[in-house]
Amino acid sequence: MMKMPSLKPLLIPLTAITAGSALLSYKLFNFAFKRVDYVPATSKEKQKYADQYYDYVDWFHSVPSEDWYLNENQPDHKMVATYIPAKVATQQTVIIAHGYKGNRETMANYAKMFRNMGFNVLTPDDRGHGDSAGDYISFGWLDRLDYLQWIDRVIEHVGVDSQILLFGVSMGGATVEMLSGEHLPDQVKAVIADCGYSSVEEELTYLLKKQYHLPEYPVEPMVSEINKRATGFGLANASSIKQLEKNQLPILFIHGEKDTYVPAYMAYENYHATHAPKQIWIVKGATHAESFWKNPKDYQERIGTFLNTYM
């Protein structure tokens, strides 16, 4: 009878591989999901807009505004937002969702644009960002629940005749896409999502290959399980596509043609998943979150055309 080879020589390297994958997954989770209390430097492509950006930031801090809160007396759950009333009283309000590791200040250019268009503006800090509580970044999935409360606050403040626009860029784009699949008040009229990803799972898998040259397995499932234990949801649940399939609001998708952080094909995935009235604008030559900066006038005009149709 043939003697079976011993498995002992294989167990040590297999154990080492598993341990190595687990350690790598924890490091990636901490890097990607754990809050940081600073805004990372922007990409090289957008450094040339720095002077314009800081002019918008100066405006943001000088314009008349109010601080709004959710769960104000609960330090571990407190959410913070800035409300900027329109120059002329209006019932139209835009709620602006910021990007990954950003905060409400980093959306100053969009806040000024919409205020110039006649809107009240509400810009929250998401969980794990800025002045809001939270140890982890939820990439829009849990944030969408906070935005439901921000919507209610706007209606309470502006009135039952409010007309609300949801707008977001990058992670913020995905946030409003995910939010669009919830049961929303009639006062919410339209959505604009600039360079939002199709799902957290697909975005992480893409970046693992693009930036780290790592395969999806076993790292992504491990990161997903770590996140589930830390925040309560697996990455497959956090899907813009699944939420957009339920969306009933008119939506404009904007995406940079040369986006290598959230590739443009995700915009088409989101567009095709949507059954409500929809438009898509792929901005030639624009990298990630650069569409506004390429030509602010064209950006505002394109948004204005969409709003004139649906809001």
Side-chain angles (χ1 to χ4, degrees), residues 17 21 38 40-41 48 59 92 128 161 169 181 197 259 277 295 305 307:
I17 291 171
S21 298
Y38 63 90
K48 58 189 174 186
W59 169 87
Q92 292 191 328
D161 293 328
V169 180
Y197 37 80
D259 193 335
N295 192 322
T305 299
L307 294 178

Side-chain angles (χ1 to χ4, degrees), residues 167-185:
F167 174 86
V169 180
S170 189
M171 184 185 80
T175 301
V176 297
E177 289 166 349
M178 294 172 184
L179 178 59
S180 75
E182 299 301 313
H183 181 69
L184 299 172

Side-chain angles (χ1 to χ4, degrees), residues 7 42 44 66 75 77 81 86 106 134 144 169 185 197 246 251 270:
L7 294 178
T42 189
K44 292 181 180 179
E66 305 170 7
H77 302 284
T106 62
R144 83 194 195 285
V169 180
Y197 37 80
K246 299 183 287 182
I251 183 166
N270 290 332

Side-chain angles (χ1 to χ4, degrees), residues 86-106:
K87 299 174 187 176
V88 179
T90 180
Q91 294 170 330
Q92 292 191 328
T93 304
V94 60
I95 301 178
I96 298 177
H98 65 73
Y100 175 66
K101 293 186 178 178
N103 57 41
R104 60 197 193 275
E105 175 189 280
T106 62

